[in-house]
Amino acid sequence: MTLATLPAPARRPGAFSTAEFAALPTSLPAFSVAHPALLPLAHRHEAETLWLATHQVPPRLARAAAARAAALFGEAERAALPPQAQALLPGWLAPMASDISPGPTRLAELFDLSAEEAGRLHGLWSWLGTADALMETGGDIRLARDPKTALNGYGCSHRPRPWAITFASSTASSSSERGYIAADKARLQVSAALLRGMAPQRALASCIGAVRRGLGRAYGLRPGEEIVLAASGTDTELLALALTHLAGTGQPILNILIAPEETGRGVPMAARGQHFAVDTALGHDVTFEAPIEGFRPDTALANIALRSASGAVRPQGEVEAEIEAVLAAALAQGRRVILHGLDLSKTGLLAPSPAFLADLRARYGAGFDIVVDACQARLSPSSVRAYLALEAVVLVTGSKFFTGPPFAGAALLPASVAARLGTARLPAGLAAYFNQGEFPPGAFAAQGLPAGGNYGLALRWHAALAEMRALLRVAPKRRADIIEAFGAAVRQGIDATPGLALLPAPPIARTAADEPWERLPSIFTFSLPAPHAPGRCLTPAEARQVYVWLNTDLSGVLPRAGEVAARICHIGQPVPLAQPEGAGQMGALRVSAGARLISGEPSHRSLALGARLRREFADVGIVFAKIRLILENWQRLCAANPTPSYRGG
């Protein structure tokens, strides 16, 4: 990270005069810079020291706490430093960057702290650090950063990565400068409150409350409607099942899923009340697919496919007829039904239509629950409100279309479902996934959960809310124009790349109140030919290699390939679909428009709108040029198997 990508309070240290730094009432000397490459670290330390000190944190404690964040920043940058600079890093860097506090005695020695100050810093150790380090907490193994690549399981980073071409919003995106700054402002406010002596639960409640208010404003929630935060979209699926348990009917449950293969791998497990990974967002080790305590063991699933065995999209009428037949049969058998709507799938499919859901609600009444998986979040607040009017629970994330950091989920509850939070207790096993803080304050149902809240989740939502606010400032007509132009650029790139085929998708139709932009396709899914096996497409595993190599600097393997080989291109992960001809599956890749395409990638802030969009659409061309390069050099790349990294060089 460079100074240009540091959060607002620490972003332009030159804005603080030497006199202001000298006026800090501390006996510690300024961080001595013995090499120019250490200037960003020095500025990072001094700017945060000043911010905390001017927010009523005792000066020595401010400097010590700032050293904790600066040390994590320095460790993240260590590999990029020349050897001479690495040898001159301050002695406090290693102990202050450690996951474990060096202890009150050592902290007092390092920073001339009183015993009370050293004890406070020691006790707050896990709460202090950089925004990116804290945003990596409060999620399962998919959020873990690989120490070799500095990227997580989604191939992205909580630190801004503006040099990467990013059209990965159907999966996950690295933080933008805008998002990072918002998360870091929230972190600094919490840090200052804690260092002044505020209780952690109170400081965190304020941070989470700001997220709750931001989401409520963005979606226009009304009195009685509530928000439950969740670490991921799959966690919201588990929550949706728990909310049906709270209905207290005592009936066995049938969970009707729409194309679970196009939502998330863990969704079928979560929909049955089973563990969907080997660990949870709160750090509990669990057994994959084992039942979660408190959930009914007799919950059944019905999977409604959106594609035929050949991979073709099924007609809407056929899909909806199957949904109603399954729903009617389950109700006749005395089951409590959860009917899912999918808005949208990984490949941009919507089913069933909102009109169909409204018709079912009118004819079958309140005897079944509706859960709308809108985790892609490619719909307007008015469309979300239309779903809530059907008494549907709406699952959203800030980490897909909105391009916030991965693992930021939420369930928007209509008043009728929110009322259940006051009548019964949630399944006991949910305590491995949620804290009380993720639920509305005072919710009776959440009293059996751990006190406190998920700090990493709150910071990720602050980053996502910054992207949401930026998008909502753009007029709907301009959003539509940009998405339409993006689609034209993608189609041109696919047409220009031999063997690629754009997969057809039906038009998106919700209600008459739709905004034009949300009717347009923004996820473009395409198959790739297997250069080493003519007559078939790349398998899911082979397509994943392309996905990884796009995100990798290939200039070392393909030195004569020019600039395209070196460019970092992050796109959507492959989706397994049927091979066009013959048995087996292919892996289809995705290029997607995210909110940043519309609101403006912050690193392009110096460009006028027209110039910015021309650059974005030129980047679309680079993605497909690099795909062609990869396919043409398949054997060489397979032999070398290059891996991505945060910087790419």
Side-chain angles (χ1 to χ4, degrees), residues 441-477:
F444 174 80
Q447 289 183 4
L449 303 179
N454 189 327
Y455 188 26
L457 169 61
L459 294 182
R460 294 191 293 272
W461 262 118
H462 275 280
L465 283 168
E467 305 291 0
M468 294 174 72
R469 289 190 292 267
L471 175 76
L472 293 173
R473 287 193 291 267
V474 180
K477 175 63 166 61

PDB file of all heavy atoms in Angstrom, residues 441-477:
ATOM      1  N   PRO A 441     -31.033  -4.811  18.637  1.00  0.00           N
ATOM      2  CA  PRO A 441     -30.814  -4.674  20.080  1.00  0.00           C
ATOM      3  C   PRO A 441     -32.009  -5.187  20.880  1.00  0.00           C
ATOM      4  O   PRO A 441     -33.162  -4.890  20.570  1.00  0.00           O
ATOM      5  CB  PRO A 441     -30.637  -3.156  20.259  1.00  0.00           C
ATOM      6  CG  PRO A 441     -30.135  -2.675  18.935  1.00  0.00           C
ATOM      7  CD  PRO A 441     -30.814  -3.539  17.910  1.00  0.00           C
ATOM      8  N   GLY A 442     -31.711  -5.993  21.893  1.00  0.00           N
ATOM      9  CA  GLY A 442     -32.753  -6.492  22.779  1.00  0.00           C
ATOM     10  C   GLY A 442     -33.561  -7.653  22.251  1.00  0.00           C
ATOM     11  O   GLY A 442     -34.539  -8.058  22.885  1.00  0.00           O
ATOM     12  N   ALA A 443     -33.157  -8.238  21.097  1.00  0.00           N
ATOM     13  CA  ALA A 443     -33.924  -9.356  20.531  1.00  0.00           C
ATOM     14  C   ALA A 443     -33.917 -10.535  21.506  1.00  0.00           C
ATOM     15  O   ALA A 443     -32.856 -11.073  21.839  1.00  0.00           O
ATOM     16  CB  ALA A 443     -33.341  -9.776  19.188  1.00  0.00           C
ATOM     17  N   PHE A 444     -35.095 -10.953  21.949  1.00  0.00           N
ATOM     18  CA  PHE A 444     -35.209 -12.064  22.892  1.00  0.00           C
ATOM     19  C   PHE A 444     -34.616 -13.341  22.299  1.00  0.00           C
ATOM     20  O   PHE A 444     -33.947 -14.113  22.994  1.00  0.00           O
ATOM     21  CB  PHE A 444     -36.683 -12.282  23.253  1.00  0.00           C
ATOM     22  CG  PHE A 444     -36.931 -13.497  24.100  1.00  0.00           C
ATOM     23  CD1 PHE A 444     -36.698 -13.473  25.466  1.00  0.00           C
ATOM     24  CD2 PHE A 444     -37.389 -14.682  23.523  1.00  0.00           C
ATOM     25  CE1 PHE A 444     -36.912 -14.604  26.250  1.00  0.00           C
ATOM     26  CE2 PHE A 444     -37.611 -15.816  24.300  1.00  0.00           C
ATOM     27  CZ  PHE A 444     -37.369 -15.773  25.665  1.00  0.00           C
ATOM     28  N   ALA A 445     -34.850 -13.576  21.020  1.00  0.00           N
ATOM     29  CA  ALA A 445     -34.401 -14.816  20.383  1.00  0.00           C
ATOM     30  C   ALA A 445     -32.897 -14.984  20.443  1.00  0.00           C
ATOM     31  O   ALA A 445     -32.390 -16.102  20.427  1.00  0.00           O
ATOM     32  CB  ALA A 445     -34.872 -14.854  18.932  1.00  0.00           C
ATOM     33  N   ALA A 446     -32.150 -13.861  20.512  1.00  0.00           N
ATOM     34  CA  ALA A 446     -30.688 -13.920  20.451  1.00  0.00           C
ATOM     35  C   ALA A 446     -30.035 -14.001  21.814  1.00  0.00           C
ATOM     36  O   ALA A 446     -28.802 -14.024  21.905  1.00  0.00           O
ATOM     37  CB  ALA A 446     -30.166 -12.690  19.703  1.00  0.00           C
ATOM     38  N   GLN A 447     -30.805 -14.076  22.893  1.00  0.00           N
ATOM     39  CA  GLN A 447     -30.220 -14.016  24.233  1.00  0.00           C
ATOM     40  C   GLN A 447     -29.324 -15.207  24.544  1.00  0.00           C
ATOM     41  O   GLN A 447     -28.467 -15.115  25.417  1.00  0.00           O
ATOM     42  CB  GLN A 447     -31.326 -13.884  25.279  1.00  0.00           C
ATOM     43  CG  GLN A 447     -31.993 -12.519  25.267  1.00  0.00           C
ATOM     44  CD  GLN A 447     -33.039 -12.363  26.352  1.00  0.00           C
ATOM     45  OE1 GLN A 447     -33.228 -13.255  27.179  1.00  0.00           O
ATOM     46  NE2 GLN A 447     -33.736 -11.236  26.348  1.00  0.00           N
ATOM     47  N   GLY A 448     -29.504 -16.316  23.843  1.00  0.00           N
ATOM     48  CA  GLY A 448     -28.635 -17.463  24.073  1.00  0.00           C
ATOM     49  C   GLY A 448     -27.325 -17.399  23.309  1.00  0.00           C
ATOM     50  O   GLY A 448     -26.471 -18.283  23.452  1.00  0.00           O
ATOM     51  N   LEU A 449     -27.139 -16.353  22.493  1.00  0.00           N
ATOM     52  CA  LEU A 449     -25.912 -16.206  21.712  1.00  0.00           C
ATOM     53  C   LEU A 449     -24.836 -15.494  22.522  1.00  0.00           C
ATOM     54  O   LEU A 449     -25.136 -14.830  23.520  1.00  0.00           O
ATOM     55  CB  LEU A 449     -26.206 -15.408  20.438  1.00  0.00           C
ATOM     56  CG  LEU A 449     -27.280 -15.964  19.505  1.00  0.00           C
ATOM     57  CD1 LEU A 449     -27.468 -15.044  18.311  1.00  0.00           C
ATOM     58  CD2 LEU A 449     -26.922 -17.370  19.045  1.00  0.00           C
ATOM     59  N   PRO A 450     -23.571 -15.578  22.112  1.00  0.00           N
ATOM     60  CA  PRO A 450     -22.515 -14.866  22.836  1.00  0.00           C
ATOM     61  C   PRO A 450     -22.766 -13.363  22.838  1.00  0.00           C
ATOM     62  O   PRO A 450     -23.275 -12.802  21.858  1.00  0.00           O
ATOM     63  CB  PRO A 450     -21.243 -15.215  22.043  1.00  0.00           C
ATOM     64  CG  PRO A 450     -21.581 -16.441  21.264  1.00  0.00           C
ATOM     65  CD  PRO A 450     -23.040 -16.369  20.977  1.00  0.00           C
ATOM     66  N   ALA A 451     -22.392 -12.711  23.927  1.00  0.00           N
ATOM     67  CA  ALA A 451     -22.498 -11.255  23.985  1.00  0.00           C
ATOM     68  C   ALA A 451     -21.484 -10.642  23.022  1.00  0.00           C
ATOM     69  O   ALA A 451     -20.503 -11.275  22.632  1.00  0.00           O
ATOM     70  CB  ALA A 451     -22.256 -10.769  25.407  1.00  0.00           C
ATOM     71  N   GLY A 452     -21.714  -9.400  22.645  1.00  0.00           N
ATOM     72  CA  GLY A 452     -20.790  -8.718  21.755  1.00  0.00           C
ATOM     73  C   GLY A 452     -21.202  -8.857  20.313  1.00  0.00           C
ATOM     74  O   GLY A 452     -22.365  -9.123  19.993  1.00  0.00           O
ATOM     75  N   GLY A 453     -20.231  -8.646  19.413  1.00  0.00           N
ATOM     76  CA  GLY A 453     -20.529  -8.678  17.996  1.00  0.00           C
ATOM     77  C   GLY A 453     -19.297  -9.002  17.181  1.00  0.00           C
ATOM     78  O   GLY A 453     -18.187  -9.128  17.708  1.00  0.00           O
ATOM     79  N   ASN A 454     -19.485  -9.122  15.886  1.00  0.00           N
ATOM     80  CA  ASN A 454     -18.435  -9.488  14.944  1.00  0.00           C
ATOM     81  C   ASN A 454     -17.805  -8.207  14.398  1.00  0.00           C
ATOM     82  O   ASN A 454     -18.364  -7.561  13.509  1.00  0.00           O
ATOM     83  CB  ASN A 454     -19.045 -10.329  13.819  1.00  0.00           C
ATOM     84  CG  ASN A 454     -18.003 -10.936  12.906  1.00  0.00           C
ATOM     85  OD1 ASN A 454     -16.951 -10.343  12.677  1.00  0.00           O
ATOM     86  ND2 ASN A 454     -18.303 -12.108  12.360  1.00  0.00           N
ATOM     87  N   TYR A 455     -16.639  -7.848  14.950  1.00  0.00           N
ATOM     88  CA  TYR A 455     -15.984  -6.582  14.589  1.00  0.00           C
ATOM     89  C   TYR A 455     -15.537  -6.582  13.128  1.00  0.00           C
ATOM     90  O   TYR A 455     -15.737  -5.594  12.406  1.00  0.00           O
ATOM     91  CB  TYR A 455     -14.812  -6.349  15.530  1.00  0.00           C
ATOM     92  CG  TYR A 455     -14.140  -4.994  15.423  1.00  0.00           C
ATOM     93  CD1 TYR A 455     -14.823  -3.871  14.958  1.00  0.00           C
ATOM     94  CD2 TYR A 455     -12.820  -4.839  15.824  1.00  0.00           C
ATOM     95  CE1 TYR A 455     -14.198  -2.635  14.888  1.00  0.00           C
ATOM     96  CE2 TYR A 455     -12.185  -3.604  15.770  1.00  0.00           C
ATOM     97  CZ  TYR A 455     -12.873  -2.505  15.295  1.00  0.00           C
ATOM     98  OH  TYR A 455     -12.249  -1.284  15.232  1.00  0.00           O
ATOM     99  N   GLY A 456     -14.915  -7.676  12.684  1.00  0.00           N
ATOM    100  CA  GLY A 456     -14.474  -7.740  11.290  1.00  0.00           C
ATOM    101  C   GLY A 456     -15.633  -7.567  10.326  1.00  0.00           C
ATOM    102  O   GLY A 456     -15.526  -6.866   9.312  1.00  0.00           O
ATOM    103  N   LEU A 457     -16.765  -8.199  10.635  1.00  0.00           N
ATOM    104  CA  LEU A 457     -17.961  -8.066   9.805  1.00  0.00           C
ATOM    105  C   LEU A 457     -18.432  -6.618   9.761  1.00  0.00           C
ATOM    106  O   LEU A 457     -18.787  -6.098   8.698  1.00  0.00           O
ATOM    107  CB  LEU A 457     -19.060  -8.974  10.358  1.00  0.00           C
ATOM    108  CG  LEU A 457     -20.465  -8.801   9.789  1.00  0.00           C
ATOM    109  CD1 LEU A 457     -20.491  -9.089   8.300  1.00  0.00           C
ATOM    110  CD2 LEU A 457     -21.449  -9.706  10.526  1.00  0.00           C
ATOM    111  N   ALA A 458     -18.443  -5.947  10.913  1.00  0.00           N
ATOM    112  CA  ALA A 458     -18.884  -4.551  10.952  1.00  0.00           C
ATOM    113  C   ALA A 458     -18.002  -3.670  10.074  1.00  0.00           C
ATOM    114  O   ALA A 458     -18.500  -2.819   9.319  1.00  0.00           O
ATOM    115  CB  ALA A 458     -18.881  -4.042  12.393  1.00  0.00           C
ATOM    116  N   LEU A 459     -16.686  -3.866  10.134  1.00  0.00           N
ATOM    117  CA  LEU A 459     -15.784  -3.059   9.312  1.00  0.00           C
ATOM    118  C   LEU A 459     -15.980  -3.356   7.829  1.00  0.00           C
ATOM    119  O   LEU A 459     -15.935  -2.438   6.995  1.00  0.00           O
ATOM    120  CB  LEU A 459     -14.333  -3.305   9.724  1.00  0.00           C
ATOM    121  CG  LEU A 459     -13.939  -2.838  11.134  1.00  0.00           C
ATOM    122  CD1 LEU A 459     -12.461  -3.117  11.381  1.00  0.00           C
ATOM    123  CD2 LEU A 459     -14.246  -1.354  11.329  1.00  0.00           C
ATOM    124  N   ARG A 460     -16.200  -4.617   7.489  1.00  0.00           N
ATOM    125  CA  ARG A 460     -16.436  -4.945   6.078  1.00  0.00           C
ATOM    126  C   ARG A 460     -17.707  -4.266   5.571  1.00  0.00           C
ATOM    127  O   ARG A 460     -17.772  -3.812   4.429  1.00  0.00           O
ATOM    128  CB  ARG A 460     -16.505  -6.471   5.903  1.00  0.00           C
ATOM    129  CG  ARG A 460     -15.196  -7.181   6.197  1.00  0.00           C
ATOM    130  CD  ARG A 460     -15.194  -8.630   5.766  1.00  0.00           C
ATOM    131  NE  ARG A 460     -16.093  -9.486   6.521  1.00  0.00           N
ATOM    132  CZ  ARG A 460     -15.791 -10.117   7.655  1.00  0.00           C
ATOM    133  NH1 ARG A 460     -14.591  -9.946   8.201  1.00  0.00           N
ATOM    134  NH2 ARG A 460     -16.661 -10.921   8.254  1.00  0.00           N
ATOM    135  N   TRP A 461     -18.732  -4.205   6.436  1.00  0.00           N
ATOM    136  CA  TRP A 461     -19.965  -3.530   6.031  1.00  0.00           C
ATOM    137  C   TRP A 461     -19.762  -2.020   5.901  1.00  0.00           C
ATOM    138  O   TRP A 461     -20.361  -1.377   5.039  1.00  0.00           O
ATOM    139  CB  TRP A 461     -21.094  -3.843   6.999  1.00  0.00           C
ATOM    140  CG  TRP A 461     -21.993  -4.933   6.502  1.00  0.00           C
ATOM    141  CD1 TRP A 461     -22.223  -6.140   7.078  1.00  0.00           C
ATOM    142  CD2 TRP A 461     -22.804  -4.905   5.314  1.00  0.00           C
ATOM    143  NE1 TRP A 461     -23.111  -6.874   6.320  1.00  0.00           N
ATOM    144  CE2 TRP A 461     -23.488  -6.138   5.241  1.00  0.00           C
ATOM    145  CE3 TRP A 461     -23.002  -3.971   4.302  1.00  0.00           C
ATOM    146  CZ2 TRP A 461     -24.358  -6.449   4.192  1.00  0.00           C
ATOM    147  CZ3 TRP A 461     -23.868  -4.270   3.254  1.00  0.00           C
ATOM    148  CH2 TRP A 461     -24.530  -5.491   3.211  1.00  0.00           C
ATOM    149  N   HIS A 462     -18.923  -1.434   6.745  1.00  0.00           N
ATOM    150  CA  HIS A 462     -18.634  -0.005   6.573  1.00  0.00           C
ATOM    151  C   HIS A 462     -18.008   0.245   5.202  1.00  0.00           C
ATOM    152  O   HIS A 462     -18.336   1.246   4.536  1.00  0.00           O
ATOM    153  CB  HIS A 462     -17.709   0.480   7.691  1.00  0.00           C
ATOM    154  CG  HIS A 462     -18.426   0.880   8.944  1.00  0.00           C
ATOM    155  ND1 HIS A 462     -19.037   2.105   9.089  1.00  0.00           N
ATOM    156  CD2 HIS A 462     -18.647   0.207  10.108  1.00  0.00           C
ATOM    157  CE1 HIS A 462     -19.603   2.182  10.289  1.00  0.00           C
ATOM    158  NE2 HIS A 462     -19.384   1.040  10.932  1.00  0.00           N
ATOM    159  N   ALA A 463     -17.108  -0.641   4.776  1.00  0.00           N
ATOM    160  CA  ALA A 463     -16.513  -0.504   3.438  1.00  0.00           C
ATOM    161  C   ALA A 463     -17.574  -0.649   2.355  1.00  0.00           C
ATOM    162  O   ALA A 463     -17.609   0.123   1.385  1.00  0.00           O
ATOM    163  CB  ALA A 463     -15.410  -1.541   3.253  1.00  0.00           C
ATOM    164  N   ALA A 464     -18.451  -1.633   2.503  1.00  0.00           N
ATOM    165  CA  ALA A 464     -19.498  -1.857   1.499  1.00  0.00           C
ATOM    166  C   ALA A 464     -20.480  -0.698   1.441  1.00  0.00           C
ATOM    167  O   ALA A 464     -20.939  -0.304   0.361  1.00  0.00           O
ATOM    168  CB  ALA A 464     -20.233  -3.159   1.803  1.00  0.00           C
ATOM    169  N   LEU A 465     -20.826  -0.138   2.602  1.00  0.00           N
ATOM    170  CA  LEU A 465     -21.767   0.977   2.623  1.00  0.00           C
ATOM    171  C   LEU A 465     -21.217   2.190   1.889  1.00  0.00           C
ATOM    172  O   LEU A 465     -21.975   2.945   1.260  1.00  0.00           O
ATOM    173  CB  LEU A 465     -22.118   1.344   4.064  1.00  0.00           C
ATOM    174  CG  LEU A 465     -23.110   0.413   4.755  1.00  0.00           C
ATOM    175  CD1 LEU A 465     -23.156   0.698   6.256  1.00  0.00           C
ATOM    176  CD2 LEU A 465     -24.501   0.573   4.154  1.00  0.00           C
ATOM    177  N   ALA A 466     -19.911   2.389   1.944  1.00  0.00           N
ATOM    178  CA  ALA A 466     -19.316   3.494   1.183  1.00  0.00           C
ATOM    179  C   ALA A 466     -19.543   3.296  -0.310  1.00  0.00           C
ATOM    180  O   ALA A 466     -19.829   4.253  -1.046  1.00  0.00           O
ATOM    181  CB  ALA A 466     -17.818   3.591   1.491  1.00  0.00           C
ATOM    182  N   GLU A 467     -19.426   2.049  -0.783  1.00  0.00           N
ATOM    183  CA  GLU A 467     -19.676   1.759  -2.198  1.00  0.00           C
ATOM    184  C   GLU A 467     -21.167   1.910  -2.521  1.00  0.00           C
ATOM    185  O   GLU A 467     -21.534   2.397  -3.604  1.00  0.00           O
ATOM    186  CB  GLU A 467     -19.202   0.346  -2.536  1.00  0.00           C
ATOM    187  CG  GLU A 467     -17.751   0.030  -2.193  1.00  0.00           C
ATOM    188  CD  GLU A 467     -16.741   0.785  -3.061  1.00  0.00           C
ATOM    189  OE1 GLU A 467     -17.153   1.565  -3.948  1.00  0.00           O
ATOM    190  OE2 GLU A 467     -15.532   0.590  -2.838  1.00  0.00           O
ATOM    191  N   MET A 468     -22.036   1.496  -1.615  1.00  0.00           N
ATOM    192  CA  MET A 468     -23.472   1.627  -1.837  1.00  0.00           C
ATOM    193  C   MET A 468     -23.868   3.089  -1.955  1.00  0.00           C
ATOM    194  O   MET A 468     -24.632   3.483  -2.856  1.00  0.00           O
ATOM    195  CB  MET A 468     -24.249   0.961  -0.703  1.00  0.00           C
ATOM    196  CG  MET A 468     -24.091  -0.545  -0.638  1.00  0.00           C
ATOM    197  SD  MET A 468     -24.871  -1.296   0.819  1.00  0.00           S
ATOM    198  CE  MET A 468     -26.605  -1.121   0.388  1.00  0.00           C
ATOM    199  N   ARG A 469     -23.347   3.916  -1.048  1.00  0.00           N
ATOM    200  CA  ARG A 469     -23.680   5.345  -1.096  1.00  0.00           C
ATOM    201  C   ARG A 469     -23.195   5.977  -2.389  1.00  0.00           C
ATOM    202  O   ARG A 469     -23.891   6.812  -2.992  1.00  0.00           O
ATOM    203  CB  ARG A 469     -23.080   6.060   0.119  1.00  0.00           C
ATOM    204  CG  ARG A 469     -23.768   5.724   1.437  1.00  0.00           C
ATOM    205  CD  ARG A 469     -23.294   6.644   2.558  1.00  0.00           C
ATOM    206  NE  ARG A 469     -21.909   6.395   2.900  1.00  0.00           N
ATOM    207  CZ  ARG A 469     -21.507   5.565   3.869  1.00  0.00           C
ATOM    208  NH1 ARG A 469     -22.397   4.879   4.573  1.00  0.00           N
ATOM    209  NH2 ARG A 469     -20.229   5.411   4.139  1.00  0.00           N
ATOM    210  N   ALA A 470     -22.007   5.584  -2.840  1.00  0.00           N
ATOM    211  CA  ALA A 470     -21.478   6.138  -4.088  1.00  0.00           C
ATOM    212  C   ALA A 470     -22.356   5.744  -5.274  1.00  0.00           C
ATOM    213  O   ALA A 470     -22.630   6.561  -6.160  1.00  0.00           O
ATOM    214  CB  ALA A 470     -20.038   5.658  -4.303  1.00  0.00           C
ATOM    215  N   LEU A 471     -22.812   4.503  -5.298  1.00  0.00           N
ATOM    216  CA  LEU A 471     -23.678   4.060  -6.390  1.00  0.00           C
ATOM    217  C   LEU A 471     -25.003   4.809  -6.375  1.00  0.00           C
ATOM    218  O   LEU A 471     -25.486   5.265  -7.416  1.00  0.00           O
ATOM    219  CB  LEU A 471     -23.945   2.561  -6.274  1.00  0.00           C
ATOM    220  CG  LEU A 471     -24.943   2.027  -7.301  1.00  0.00           C
ATOM    221  CD1 LEU A 471     -24.301   1.902  -8.664  1.00  0.00           C
ATOM    222  CD2 LEU A 471     -25.548   0.715  -6.862  1.00  0.00           C
ATOM    223  N   LEU A 472     -25.606   4.943  -5.198  1.00  0.00           N
ATOM    224  CA  LEU A 472     -26.924   5.562  -5.112  1.00  0.00           C
ATOM    225  C   LEU A 472     -26.894   7.045  -5.459  1.00  0.00           C
ATOM    226  O   LEU A 472     -27.950   7.635  -5.728  1.00  0.00           O
ATOM    227  CB  LEU A 472     -27.505   5.346  -3.716  1.00  0.00           C
ATOM    228  CG  LEU A 472     -27.839   3.886  -3.374  1.00  0.00           C
ATOM    229  CD1 LEU A 472     -28.247   3.746  -1.921  1.00  0.00           C
ATOM    230  CD2 LEU A 472     -28.924   3.347  -4.293  1.00  0.00           C
ATOM    231  N   ARG A 473     -25.698   7.639  -5.494  1.00  0.00           N
ATOM    232  CA  ARG A 473     -25.597   9.042  -5.927  1.00  0.00           C
ATOM    233  C   ARG A 473     -25.639   9.183  -7.442  1.00  0.00           C
ATOM    234  O   ARG A 473     -25.770  10.296  -7.965  1.00  0.00           O
ATOM    235  CB  ARG A 473     -24.308   9.670  -5.381  1.00  0.00           C
ATOM    236  CG  ARG A 473     -24.354   9.961  -3.889  1.00  0.00           C
ATOM    237  CD  ARG A 473     -23.201  10.858  -3.466  1.00  0.00           C
ATOM    238  NE  ARG A 473     -21.915  10.191  -3.544  1.00  0.00           N
ATOM    239  CZ  ARG A 473     -21.334   9.555  -2.535  1.00  0.00           C
ATOM    240  NH1 ARG A 473     -21.947   9.489  -1.356  1.00  0.00           N
ATOM    241  NH2 ARG A 473     -20.146   8.989  -2.675  1.00  0.00           N
ATOM    242  N   VAL A 474     -25.510   8.065  -8.165  1.00  0.00           N
ATOM    243  CA  VAL A 474     -25.527   8.092  -9.631  1.00  0.00           C
ATOM    244  C   VAL A 474     -26.962   7.899 -10.106  1.00  0.00           C
ATOM    245  O   VAL A 474     -27.653   6.982  -9.654  1.00  0.00           O
ATOM    246  CB  VAL A 474     -24.617   6.992 -10.215  1.00  0.00           C
ATOM    247  CG1 VAL A 474     -24.644   7.013 -11.743  1.00  0.00           C
ATOM    248  CG2 VAL A 474     -23.188   7.172  -9.702  1.00  0.00           C
ATOM    249  N   ALA A 475     -27.412   8.736 -11.014  1.00  0.00           N
ATOM    250  CA  ALA A 475     -28.781   8.660 -11.517  1.00  0.00           C
ATOM    251  C   ALA A 475     -29.037   7.306 -12.175  1.00  0.00           C
ATOM    252  O   ALA A 475     -28.153   6.771 -12.859  1.00  0.00           O
ATOM    253  CB  ALA A 475     -29.042   9.772 -12.521  1.00  0.00           C
ATOM    254  N   PRO A 476     -30.229   6.717 -11.978  1.00  0.00           N
ATOM    255  CA  PRO A 476     -30.541   5.409 -12.581  1.00  0.00           C
ATOM    256  C   PRO A 476     -30.310   5.355 -14.090  1.00  0.00           C
ATOM    257  O   PRO A 476     -29.860   4.331 -14.605  1.00  0.00           O
ATOM    258  CB  PRO A 476     -32.010   5.201 -12.222  1.00  0.00           C
ATOM    259  CG  PRO A 476     -32.192   5.960 -10.950  1.00  0.00           C
ATOM    260  CD  PRO A 476     -31.319   7.177 -11.098  1.00  0.00           C
ATOM    261  N   LYS A 477     -30.604   6.441 -14.785  1.00  0.00           N
ATOM    262  CA  LYS A 477     -30.410   6.441 -16.248  1.00  0.00           C
ATOM    263  C   LYS A 477     -28.936   6.283 -16.594  1.00  0.00           C
ATOM    264  O   LYS A 477     -28.574   5.535 -17.508  1.00  0.00           O
ATOM    265  CB  LYS A 477     -30.949   7.751 -16.833  1.00  0.00           C
ATOM    266  CG  LYS A 477     -30.702   7.925 -18.336  1.00  0.00           C
ATOM    267  CD  LYS A 477     -31.405   6.856 -19.168  1.00  0.00           C
ATOM    268  CE  LYS A 477     -31.448   7.216 -20.637  1.00  0.00           C
ATOM    269  NZ  LYS A 477     -30.103   7.367 -21.237  1.00  0.00           N
TER     270      LYS A 477
END
